[in-house]
Every structure is written in C-alpha cells, then in structure tokens.
Amino acid sequence: SFISIVDHDVAVVYEELMPVPFWQDLKNRGFKFAQVPKEEFWSMGPNVLALAPGQCVMLEGNPKTQENLVDLGCEVVTYTGREISLKAEGGATCLTRPVLRGKK
C-alpha cells in the first residue's frame, strides 16, 4: 500500500510511491496527508484500515505514522501482527473483507 483513506479528507500516504497527478488531485480536493516515513514503509505503515471516518486500525510499531494520524484528529487503535501480518505480509486492509449491512 502507498495510500489508505481514513476520513473524508485524510489519507495515510507513502509519498515516494504516490503518482504526482494523484497527489495533486487529492490536495486540490482538500485532503490532508499523514506521512509515512521511509523507515516505517516496510513495517506496513501505510496499510491502515478505516473503521469509521477518523477511526482506524494499524499495525503496531509505526509510531511516527500513528502520531501523524493523531495530529490530524484520527483515533488510532493498533494490533500486534508479528505472526500474521509481518510474516504473511498481510496488513489490516488485507486481513478484512467489506460487509454490507442492511436495515432490520
């Protein structure tokens, strides 16, 4: 992952892999970016799952990315993923499936 949208106008991004026109388009739409530093890319820093607007879950061990999210007003929950995420290379977004809930 190089981007995860976590709120209506907030994205977690690893800018080194982000196409410039895409970055510019999001910026023009008013997005704010929680930057992922290079040292947190390989520990799945950009792989963040939105649970609700401004609420997200991410792999622990990416403190700067987490801090950048909190600074933008996001509530962040972390999980330990030494076995399933880091060894199997599946982050929070890869380990989930969308669920469509109907009204009762």
Short mmCIF file of all heavy atoms in Angstrom, two decimals, residues 7-73:
data_model
loop_
_atom_site.label_atom_id
_atom_site.label_comp_id
_atom_site.label_asym_id
_atom_site.label_seq_id
_atom_site.Cartn_x
_atom_site.Cartn_y
_atom_site.Cartn_z
N ASP A 7 -10.46 9.06 6.42
CA ASP A 7 -11.53 10.01 6.74
C ASP A 7 -11.96 10.68 5.44
O ASP A 7 -11.35 10.43 4.39
CB ASP A 7 -11.05 11.05 7.76
CG ASP A 7 -12.19 11.68 8.56
OD1 ASP A 7 -13.35 11.62 8.10
OD2 ASP A 7 -11.92 12.25 9.63
N HIS A 8 -12.96 11.51 5.51
CA HIS A 8 -13.46 12.17 4.31
C HIS A 8 -12.38 13.00 3.61
O HIS A 8 -12.44 13.18 2.39
CB HIS A 8 -14.66 13.06 4.65
CG HIS A 8 -15.80 12.29 5.24
ND1 HIS A 8 -16.57 11.42 4.52
CD2 HIS A 8 -16.28 12.24 6.51
CE1 HIS A 8 -17.48 10.86 5.30
NE2 HIS A 8 -17.32 11.35 6.52
N ASP A 9 -11.42 13.48 4.38
CA ASP A 9 -10.38 14.33 3.79
C ASP A 9 -9.00 14.05 4.37
O ASP A 9 -8.13 14.92 4.39
CB ASP A 9 -10.74 15.81 3.98
CG ASP A 9 -10.83 16.21 5.46
OD1 ASP A 9 -10.79 15.31 6.33
OD2 ASP A 9 -10.96 17.41 5.73
N VAL A 10 -8.78 12.82 4.83
CA VAL A 10 -7.48 12.45 5.40
C VAL A 10 -7.02 11.14 4.77
O VAL A 10 -7.79 10.17 4.69
CB VAL A 10 -7.54 12.27 6.94
CG1 VAL A 10 -6.20 11.79 7.49
CG2 VAL A 10 -7.95 13.57 7.61
N ALA A 11 -5.77 11.12 4.33
CA ALA A 11 -5.18 9.91 3.75
C ALA A 11 -3.81 9.67 4.37
O ALA A 11 -3.06 10.61 4.62
CB ALA A 11 -5.04 10.05 2.25
N VAL A 12 -3.51 8.41 4.62
CA VAL A 12 -2.18 7.99 5.04
C VAL A 12 -1.42 7.72 3.75
O VAL A 12 -1.90 6.95 2.91
CB VAL A 12 -2.23 6.69 5.88
CG1 VAL A 12 -0.84 6.28 6.31
CG2 VAL A 12 -3.14 6.87 7.07
N VAL A 13 -0.28 8.34 3.56
CA VAL A 13 0.44 8.20 2.29
C VAL A 13 1.93 7.96 2.48
O VAL A 13 2.56 8.49 3.39
CB VAL A 13 0.25 9.45 1.39
CG1 VAL A 13 -1.20 9.65 1.03
CG2 VAL A 13 0.82 10.69 2.00
N TYR A 14 2.45 7.13 1.59
CA TYR A 14 3.89 6.99 1.43
C TYR A 14 4.21 7.69 0.11
O TYR A 14 4.01 7.14 -0.98
CB TYR A 14 4.30 5.52 1.40
CG TYR A 14 5.79 5.33 1.29
CD1 TYR A 14 6.64 5.79 2.29
CD2 TYR A 14 6.35 4.71 0.19
CE1 TYR A 14 8.02 5.63 2.20
CE2 TYR A 14 7.72 4.54 0.09
CZ TYR A 14 8.55 5.01 1.09
OH TYR A 14 9.91 4.85 1.01
N GLU A 15 4.62 8.94 0.20
CA GLU A 15 4.73 9.82 -0.96
C GLU A 15 5.70 9.35 -2.03
O GLU A 15 5.53 9.66 -3.19
CB GLU A 15 5.05 11.25 -0.54
CG GLU A 15 3.85 11.96 0.00
CD GLU A 15 4.07 13.46 0.16
OE1 GLU A 15 5.22 13.94 -0.03
OE2 GLU A 15 3.10 14.15 0.46
N GLU A 16 6.73 8.58 -1.65
CA GLU A 16 7.71 8.14 -2.65
C GLU A 16 7.07 7.31 -3.75
O GLU A 16 7.58 7.28 -4.87
CB GLU A 16 8.83 7.34 -1.98
CG GLU A 16 9.84 8.22 -1.30
CD GLU A 16 11.11 7.47 -0.96
OE1 GLU A 16 11.57 6.63 -1.76
OE2 GLU A 16 11.65 7.73 0.12
N LEU A 17 5.98 6.61 -3.46
CA LEU A 17 5.32 5.77 -4.46
C LEU A 17 4.06 6.40 -5.05
O LEU A 17 3.44 5.84 -5.94
CB LEU A 17 4.94 4.42 -3.84
CG LEU A 17 6.10 3.53 -3.40
CD1 LEU A 17 5.57 2.24 -2.80
CD2 LEU A 17 7.03 3.24 -4.57
N MET A 18 3.70 7.57 -4.56
CA MET A 18 2.44 8.19 -4.97
C MET A 18 2.62 8.98 -6.27
O MET A 18 3.48 9.85 -6.35
CB MET A 18 1.95 9.12 -3.86
CG MET A 18 0.53 9.53 -4.02
SD MET A 18 -0.04 10.26 -2.46
CE MET A 18 -1.72 10.54 -2.89
N PRO A 19 1.81 8.68 -7.30
CA PRO A 19 1.89 9.45 -8.54
C PRO A 19 1.56 10.93 -8.29
O PRO A 19 0.59 11.24 -7.59
CB PRO A 19 0.83 8.81 -9.43
CG PRO A 19 0.60 7.45 -8.85
CD PRO A 19 0.83 7.60 -7.37
N VAL A 20 2.37 11.80 -8.83
CA VAL A 20 2.22 13.23 -8.60
C VAL A 20 0.83 13.74 -9.00
O VAL A 20 0.20 14.48 -8.22
CB VAL A 20 3.34 14.04 -9.30
CG1 VAL A 20 3.07 15.54 -9.22
CG2 VAL A 20 4.68 13.70 -8.68
N PRO A 21 0.27 13.37 -10.16
CA PRO A 21 -1.07 13.87 -10.50
C PRO A 21 -2.14 13.42 -9.48
O PRO A 21 -3.07 14.19 -9.19
CB PRO A 21 -1.35 13.26 -11.88
CG PRO A 21 0.00 13.00 -12.46
CD PRO A 21 0.86 12.62 -11.28
N PHE A 22 -2.00 12.23 -8.96
CA PHE A 22 -2.94 11.74 -7.95
C PHE A 22 -2.81 12.56 -6.67
O PHE A 22 -3.79 13.00 -6.07
CB PHE A 22 -2.69 10.26 -7.69
CG PHE A 22 -3.64 9.60 -6.74
CD1 PHE A 22 -5.00 9.87 -6.77
CD2 PHE A 22 -3.18 8.67 -5.82
CE1 PHE A 22 -5.89 9.25 -5.89
CE2 PHE A 22 -4.05 8.04 -4.95
CZ PHE A 22 -5.40 8.34 -4.98
N TRP A 23 -1.57 12.80 -6.23
CA TRP A 23 -1.31 13.62 -5.04
C TRP A 23 -1.91 15.01 -5.23
O TRP A 23 -2.59 15.53 -4.35
CB TRP A 23 0.19 13.70 -4.78
CG TRP A 23 0.56 14.47 -3.56
CD1 TRP A 23 0.71 13.99 -2.29
CD2 TRP A 23 0.83 15.88 -3.48
NE1 TRP A 23 1.05 15.02 -1.43
CE2 TRP A 23 1.13 16.18 -2.14
CE3 TRP A 23 0.84 16.91 -4.42
CZ2 TRP A 23 1.45 17.47 -1.71
CZ3 TRP A 23 1.16 18.20 -3.99
CH2 TRP A 23 1.46 18.45 -2.65
N GLN A 24 -1.68 15.60 -6.40
CA GLN A 24 -2.19 16.95 -6.69
C GLN A 24 -3.72 16.97 -6.68
O GLN A 24 -4.32 17.91 -6.15
CB GLN A 24 -1.66 17.44 -8.04
CG GLN A 24 -0.18 17.74 -8.02
CD GLN A 24 0.38 18.01 -9.40
OE1 GLN A 24 -0.11 17.51 -10.40
NE2 GLN A 24 1.45 18.80 -9.45
N ASP A 25 -4.34 15.95 -7.25
CA ASP A 25 -5.80 15.89 -7.28
C ASP A 25 -6.37 15.81 -5.87
O ASP A 25 -7.33 16.53 -5.54
CB ASP A 25 -6.27 14.69 -8.11
CG ASP A 25 -7.77 14.65 -8.26
OD1 ASP A 25 -8.36 15.66 -8.71
OD2 ASP A 25 -8.37 13.62 -7.90
N LEU A 26 -5.79 14.96 -5.03
CA LEU A 26 -6.28 14.87 -3.65
C LEU A 26 -6.06 16.18 -2.90
O LEU A 26 -6.93 16.62 -2.14
CB LEU A 26 -5.59 13.72 -2.92
CG LEU A 26 -5.99 12.31 -3.36
CD1 LEU A 26 -5.17 11.27 -2.61
CD2 LEU A 26 -7.48 12.06 -3.16
N LYS A 27 -4.93 16.80 -3.12
CA LYS A 27 -4.63 18.09 -2.47
C LYS A 27 -5.66 19.14 -2.91
O LYS A 27 -6.17 19.89 -2.07
CB LYS A 27 -3.21 18.53 -2.86
CG LYS A 27 -2.61 19.50 -1.93
CD LYS A 27 -2.27 18.85 -0.61
CE LYS A 27 -1.40 19.79 0.17
NZ LYS A 27 -1.51 19.60 1.59
N ASN A 28 -6.00 19.16 -4.18
CA ASN A 28 -7.00 20.10 -4.71
C ASN A 28 -8.38 19.83 -4.13
O ASN A 28 -9.22 20.73 -4.07
CB ASN A 28 -7.05 20.06 -6.23
CG ASN A 28 -5.82 20.67 -6.87
OD1 ASN A 28 -5.13 21.48 -6.26
ND2 ASN A 28 -5.53 20.27 -8.09
N ARG A 29 -8.64 18.61 -3.74
CA ARG A 29 -9.92 18.24 -3.13
C ARG A 29 -9.94 18.51 -1.63
O ARG A 29 -10.92 18.20 -0.95
CB ARG A 29 -10.23 16.77 -3.38
CG ARG A 29 -10.49 16.43 -4.82
CD ARG A 29 -10.58 14.92 -5.00
NE ARG A 29 -10.67 14.57 -6.39
CZ ARG A 29 -11.72 13.98 -6.94
NH1 ARG A 29 -12.77 13.67 -6.19
NH2 ARG A 29 -11.71 13.67 -8.21
N GLY A 30 -8.84 19.04 -1.10
CA GLY A 30 -8.78 19.41 0.31
C GLY A 30 -8.26 18.34 1.25
O GLY A 30 -8.40 18.45 2.47
N PHE A 31 -7.64 17.28 0.71
CA PHE A 31 -7.11 16.22 1.56
C PHE A 31 -5.90 16.70 2.35
O PHE A 31 -5.11 17.50 1.87
CB PHE A 31 -6.70 15.00 0.72
CG PHE A 31 -7.80 14.00 0.56
CD1 PHE A 31 -8.82 14.21 -0.35
CD2 PHE A 31 -7.82 12.85 1.33
CE1 PHE A 31 -9.84 13.29 -0.51
CE2 PHE A 31 -8.84 11.92 1.18
CZ PHE A 31 -9.84 12.15 0.27
N LYS A 32 -5.80 16.17 3.56
CA LYS A 32 -4.61 16.33 4.39
C LYS A 32 -3.94 14.96 4.43
O LYS A 32 -4.60 13.93 4.38
CB LYS A 32 -5.01 16.78 5.80
CG LYS A 32 -5.69 18.15 5.81
CD LYS A 32 -6.14 18.54 7.20
CE LYS A 32 -7.35 17.83 7.70
NZ LYS A 32 -8.63 18.07 7.12
N PHE A 33 -2.61 14.95 4.52
CA PHE A 33 -1.86 13.71 4.44
C PHE A 33 -1.11 13.40 5.73
O PHE A 33 -0.37 14.25 6.24
CB PHE A 33 -0.86 13.76 3.28
CG PHE A 33 -1.50 14.00 1.95
CD1 PHE A 33 -1.19 15.12 1.21
CD2 PHE A 33 -2.42 13.10 1.43
CE1 PHE A 33 -1.76 15.35 -0.03
CE2 PHE A 33 -3.01 13.32 0.20
CZ PHE A 33 -2.69 14.44 -0.54
N ALA A 34 -1.31 12.18 6.21
CA ALA A 34 -0.50 11.65 7.31
C ALA A 34 0.66 10.93 6.64
O ALA A 34 0.48 9.87 6.02
CB ALA A 34 -1.32 10.69 8.17
N GLN A 35 1.83 11.51 6.72
CA GLN A 35 3.00 10.98 6.04
C GLN A 35 3.52 9.72 6.72
O GLN A 35 3.56 9.63 7.95
CB GLN A 35 4.12 12.02 6.03
CG GLN A 35 3.76 13.34 5.41
CD GLN A 35 3.64 13.27 3.90
OE1 GLN A 35 4.23 12.41 3.26
NE2 GLN A 35 2.87 14.16 3.34
N VAL A 36 3.95 8.76 5.91
CA VAL A 36 4.62 7.56 6.40
C VAL A 36 6.10 7.75 6.11
O VAL A 36 6.49 7.89 4.95
CB VAL A 36 4.10 6.30 5.68
CG1 VAL A 36 4.88 5.07 6.13
CG2 VAL A 36 2.62 6.12 5.92
N PRO A 37 6.95 7.75 7.14
CA PRO A 37 8.38 7.90 6.89
C PRO A 37 8.95 6.62 6.26
O PRO A 37 8.39 5.53 6.41
CB PRO A 37 8.98 8.14 8.28
CG PRO A 37 7.99 7.60 9.23
CD PRO A 37 6.64 7.68 8.57
N LYS A 38 10.05 6.78 5.56
CA LYS A 38 10.69 5.66 4.86
C LYS A 38 10.93 4.46 5.77
O LYS A 38 10.69 3.32 5.39
CB LYS A 38 12.01 6.14 4.25
CG LYS A 38 12.67 5.14 3.35
CD LYS A 38 13.89 5.75 2.69
CE LYS A 38 13.92 5.26 1.26
NZ LYS A 38 14.66 6.10 0.36
N GLU A 39 11.37 4.72 6.99
CA GLU A 39 11.68 3.62 7.92
C GLU A 39 10.45 2.84 8.37
O GLU A 39 10.56 1.75 8.93
CB GLU A 39 12.48 4.11 9.13
CG GLU A 39 11.78 5.12 10.00
CD GLU A 39 11.95 6.57 9.56
OE1 GLU A 39 12.45 6.83 8.45
OE2 GLU A 39 11.57 7.45 10.36
N GLU A 40 9.24 3.36 8.13
CA GLU A 40 8.02 2.65 8.52
C GLU A 40 7.26 2.06 7.32
O GLU A 40 6.23 1.42 7.50
CB GLU A 40 7.11 3.58 9.33
CG GLU A 40 7.71 3.94 10.67
CD GLU A 40 6.82 4.80 11.55
OE1 GLU A 40 5.64 5.02 11.21
OE2 GLU A 40 7.31 5.26 12.60
N PHE A 41 7.81 2.21 6.12
CA PHE A 41 7.14 1.65 4.95
C PHE A 41 7.13 0.13 4.99
O PHE A 41 6.10 -0.51 4.77
CB PHE A 41 7.80 2.15 3.66
CG PHE A 41 7.20 1.52 2.43
CD1 PHE A 41 5.96 1.91 1.98
CD2 PHE A 41 7.88 0.53 1.74
CE1 PHE A 41 5.38 1.33 0.86
CE2 PHE A 41 7.32 -0.06 0.62
CZ PHE A 41 6.07 0.34 0.18
N TRP A 42 8.27 -0.48 5.26
CA TRP A 42 8.38 -1.94 5.22
C TRP A 42 7.70 -2.62 6.40
O TRP A 42 7.47 -3.84 6.38
CB TRP A 42 9.84 -2.37 5.11
CG TRP A 42 10.39 -1.95 3.78
CD1 TRP A 42 11.29 -0.95 3.55
CD2 TRP A 42 10.03 -2.47 2.50
NE1 TRP A 42 11.51 -0.82 2.20
CE2 TRP A 42 10.75 -1.75 1.53
CE3 TRP A 42 9.17 -3.48 2.07
CZ2 TRP A 42 10.65 -2.00 0.18
CZ3 TRP A 42 9.06 -3.73 0.70
CH2 TRP A 42 9.79 -3.00 -0.22
N SER A 43 7.35 -1.87 7.44
CA SER A 43 6.58 -2.45 8.55
C SER A 43 5.10 -2.10 8.40
O SER A 43 4.36 -2.03 9.37
CB SER A 43 7.13 -1.98 9.89
OG SER A 43 7.14 -0.56 9.96
N MET A 44 4.68 -1.88 7.16
CA MET A 44 3.29 -1.66 6.77
C MET A 44 2.68 -0.37 7.33
O MET A 44 1.49 -0.32 7.61
CB MET A 44 2.43 -2.87 7.13
CG MET A 44 2.85 -4.12 6.42
SD MET A 44 1.65 -5.41 6.69
CE MET A 44 2.62 -6.81 6.17
N GLY A 45 3.48 0.66 7.46
CA GLY A 45 2.98 1.95 7.92
C GLY A 45 1.80 2.49 7.12
O GLY A 45 0.85 3.01 7.70
N PRO A 46 1.80 2.37 5.78
CA PRO A 46 0.68 2.92 5.02
C PRO A 46 -0.58 2.04 5.03
O PRO A 46 -1.64 2.47 4.61
CB PRO A 46 1.21 3.00 3.58
CG PRO A 46 2.63 2.61 3.61
CD PRO A 46 2.91 1.97 4.92
N ASN A 47 -0.46 0.83 5.51
CA ASN A 47 -1.58 -0.12 5.47
C ASN A 47 -2.46 0.09 6.70
O ASN A 47 -2.29 -0.57 7.73
CB ASN A 47 -1.04 -1.54 5.41
CG ASN A 47 -2.09 -2.53 4.98
OD1 ASN A 47 -3.23 -2.46 5.42
ND2 ASN A 47 -1.71 -3.47 4.14
N VAL A 48 -3.38 1.02 6.60
CA VAL A 48 -4.24 1.43 7.72
C VAL A 48 -5.69 1.22 7.29
O VAL A 48 -6.09 1.61 6.20
CB VAL A 48 -3.99 2.91 8.09
CG1 VAL A 48 -4.90 3.35 9.22
CG2 VAL A 48 -2.52 3.12 8.46
N LEU A 49 -6.48 0.61 8.15
CA LEU A 49 -7.87 0.32 7.84
C LEU A 49 -8.79 1.29 8.55
O LEU A 49 -8.73 1.43 9.78
CB LEU A 49 -8.22 -1.11 8.28
CG LEU A 49 -9.67 -1.54 8.10
CD1 LEU A 49 -10.04 -1.62 6.62
CD2 LEU A 49 -9.92 -2.86 8.80
N ALA A 50 -9.64 1.98 7.79
CA ALA A 50 -10.65 2.87 8.38
C ALA A 50 -11.80 2.02 8.92
O ALA A 50 -12.34 1.18 8.20
CB ALA A 50 -11.16 3.85 7.34
N LEU A 51 -12.14 2.23 10.18
CA LEU A 51 -13.29 1.56 10.80
C LEU A 51 -14.53 2.43 10.68
O LEU A 51 -15.65 1.93 10.61
CB LEU A 51 -12.99 1.26 12.27
CG LEU A 51 -11.74 0.41 12.53
CD1 LEU A 51 -11.46 0.34 14.02
CD2 LEU A 51 -11.90 -0.97 11.93
N ALA A 52 -14.32 3.71 10.70
CA ALA A 52 -15.33 4.75 10.55
C ALA A 52 -14.54 6.01 10.20
O ALA A 52 -13.32 6.03 10.35
CB ALA A 52 -16.12 4.94 11.85
N PRO A 53 -15.20 7.05 9.72
CA PRO A 53 -14.43 8.26 9.41
C PRO A 53 -13.64 8.75 10.64
O PRO A 53 -14.19 8.96 11.71
CB PRO A 53 -15.52 9.27 9.02
CG PRO A 53 -16.62 8.43 8.48
CD PRO A 53 -16.61 7.20 9.35
N GLY A 54 -12.32 8.82 10.46
CA GLY A 54 -11.45 9.30 11.52
C GLY A 54 -11.10 8.27 12.58
O GLY A 54 -10.39 8.57 13.53
N GLN A 55 -11.56 7.04 12.41
CA GLN A 55 -11.21 5.94 13.33
C GLN A 55 -10.55 4.85 12.51
O GLN A 55 -11.09 4.42 11.49
CB GLN A 55 -12.45 5.38 14.02
CG GLN A 55 -13.15 6.37 14.89
CD GLN A 55 -14.42 5.78 15.50
OE1 GLN A 55 -14.96 4.80 15.01
NE2 GLN A 55 -14.89 6.39 16.56
N CYS A 56 -9.37 4.41 12.95
CA CYS A 56 -8.66 3.42 12.14
C CYS A 56 -7.85 2.45 13.00
O CYS A 56 -7.62 2.68 14.18
CB CYS A 56 -7.77 4.13 11.14
SG CYS A 56 -6.67 5.37 11.82
N VAL A 57 -7.45 1.37 12.34
CA VAL A 57 -6.62 0.36 12.98
C VAL A 57 -5.38 0.15 12.12
O VAL A 57 -5.45 0.18 10.89
CB VAL A 57 -7.40 -0.96 13.21
CG1 VAL A 57 -7.82 -1.59 11.91
CG2 VAL A 57 -6.60 -1.95 14.04
N MET A 58 -4.25 0.00 12.80
CA MET A 58 -2.99 -0.19 12.09
C MET A 58 -2.07 -1.10 12.88
O MET A 58 -2.28 -1.32 14.09
CB MET A 58 -2.30 1.16 11.84
CG MET A 58 -1.83 1.87 13.09
SD MET A 58 -1.10 3.50 12.81
CE MET A 58 0.39 3.08 11.93
N LEU A 59 -1.07 -1.63 12.23
CA LEU A 59 -0.08 -2.49 12.84
C LEU A 59 0.78 -1.68 13.82
O LEU A 59 1.21 -0.57 13.49
CB LEU A 59 0.80 -3.09 11.75
CG LEU A 59 1.81 -4.15 12.12
CD1 LEU A 59 1.12 -5.39 12.68
CD2 LEU A 59 2.63 -4.52 10.90
N GLU A 60 0.98 -2.22 15.02
CA GLU A 60 1.83 -1.51 15.98
C GLU A 60 3.27 -1.47 15.46
O GLU A 60 3.64 -2.24 14.58
CB GLU A 60 1.78 -2.18 17.35
CG GLU A 60 2.48 -3.50 17.43
CD GLU A 60 2.43 -4.12 18.82
OE1 GLU A 60 1.67 -3.68 19.68
OE2 GLU A 60 3.17 -5.09 19.03
N GLY A 61 4.05 -0.55 16.00
CA GLY A 61 5.44 -0.43 15.60
C GLY A 61 5.69 0.61 14.53
O GLY A 61 6.76 0.64 13.94
N ASN A 62 4.71 1.46 14.28
CA ASN A 62 4.84 2.56 13.33
C ASN A 62 4.47 3.86 14.04
O ASN A 62 3.48 4.51 13.71
CB ASN A 62 3.93 2.31 12.11
CG ASN A 62 4.36 1.10 11.32
OD1 ASN A 62 5.44 1.07 10.76
ND2 ASN A 62 3.52 0.09 11.30
N PRO A 63 5.28 4.23 15.03
CA PRO A 63 4.90 5.34 15.91
C PRO A 63 4.79 6.70 15.22
O PRO A 63 3.93 7.50 15.57
CB PRO A 63 6.00 5.36 16.97
CG PRO A 63 7.17 4.70 16.32
CD PRO A 63 6.59 3.67 15.40
N LYS A 64 5.64 6.97 14.25
CA LYS A 64 5.58 8.28 13.59
C LYS A 64 4.31 8.39 12.73
O LYS A 64 3.64 9.41 12.75
CB LYS A 64 6.84 8.50 12.74
CG LYS A 64 6.92 9.89 12.17
CD LYS A 64 6.97 10.95 13.26
CE LYS A 64 7.00 12.34 12.65
NZ LYS A 64 6.64 13.38 13.59
N THR A 65 3.98 7.32 12.01
CA THR A 65 2.76 7.33 11.21
C THR A 65 1.55 7.48 12.13
O THR A 65 0.63 8.26 11.85
CB THR A 65 2.64 6.03 10.39
OG1 THR A 65 3.79 5.92 9.54
CG2 THR A 65 1.38 6.03 9.54
N GLN A 66 1.56 6.75 13.24
CA GLN A 66 0.46 6.84 14.20
C GLN A 66 0.35 8.26 14.74
O GLN A 66 -0.75 8.83 14.82
CB GLN A 66 0.66 5.85 15.34
CG GLN A 66 -0.47 5.83 16.34
CD GLN A 66 -0.30 4.77 17.42
OE1 GLN A 66 0.61 3.95 17.37
NE2 GLN A 66 -1.17 4.80 18.41
N GLU A 67 1.46 8.85 15.09
CA GLU A 67 1.47 10.23 15.60
C GLU A 67 0.94 11.20 14.55
O GLU A 67 0.17 12.11 14.87
CB GLU A 67 2.90 10.61 15.99
CG GLU A 67 3.06 12.02 16.52
CD GLU A 67 4.51 12.35 16.82
OE1 GLU A 67 5.26 11.46 17.27
OE2 GLU A 67 4.89 13.51 16.58
N ASN A 68 1.32 11.00 13.29
CA ASN A 68 0.83 11.88 12.22
C ASN A 68 -0.68 11.77 12.05
O ASN A 68 -1.35 12.76 11.79
CB ASN A 68 1.55 11.55 10.90
CG ASN A 68 3.02 11.93 10.94
OD1 ASN A 68 3.45 12.71 11.77
ND2 ASN A 68 3.80 11.35 10.05
N LEU A 69 -1.22 10.57 12.21
CA LEU A 69 -2.67 10.37 12.15
C LEU A 69 -3.37 11.07 13.31
O LEU A 69 -4.37 11.76 13.12
CB LEU A 69 -3.01 8.89 12.17
CG LEU A 69 -2.88 8.16 10.84
CD1 LEU A 69 -2.82 6.66 11.05
CD2 LEU A 69 -4.05 8.54 9.94
N VAL A 70 -2.85 10.90 14.50
CA VAL A 70 -3.43 11.54 15.69
C VAL A 70 -3.39 13.06 15.55
O VAL A 70 -4.36 13.74 15.88
CB VAL A 70 -2.72 11.05 16.98
CG1 VAL A 70 -3.14 11.87 18.18
CG2 VAL A 70 -3.01 9.56 17.20
N ASP A 71 -2.29 13.57 15.03
CA ASP A 71 -2.17 15.02 14.82
C ASP A 71 -3.24 15.56 13.86
O ASP A 71 -3.59 16.73 13.93
CB ASP A 71 -0.78 15.38 14.28
CG ASP A 71 0.31 15.25 15.33
OD1 ASP A 71 -0.02 15.10 16.54
OD2 ASP A 71 1.50 15.28 14.95
N LEU A 72 -3.75 14.70 12.98
CA LEU A 72 -4.81 15.10 12.05
C LEU A 72 -6.20 14.80 12.60
O LEU A 72 -7.19 14.90 11.88
CB LEU A 72 -4.61 14.43 10.69
CG LEU A 72 -3.41 14.92 9.89
CD1 LEU A 72 -3.22 14.10 8.63
CD2 LEU A 72 -3.56 16.40 9.54
N GLY A 73 -6.26 14.42 13.89
CA GLY A 73 -7.55 14.22 14.54
C GLY A 73 -8.11 12.81 14.47
O GLY A 73 -9.27 12.59 14.83
#
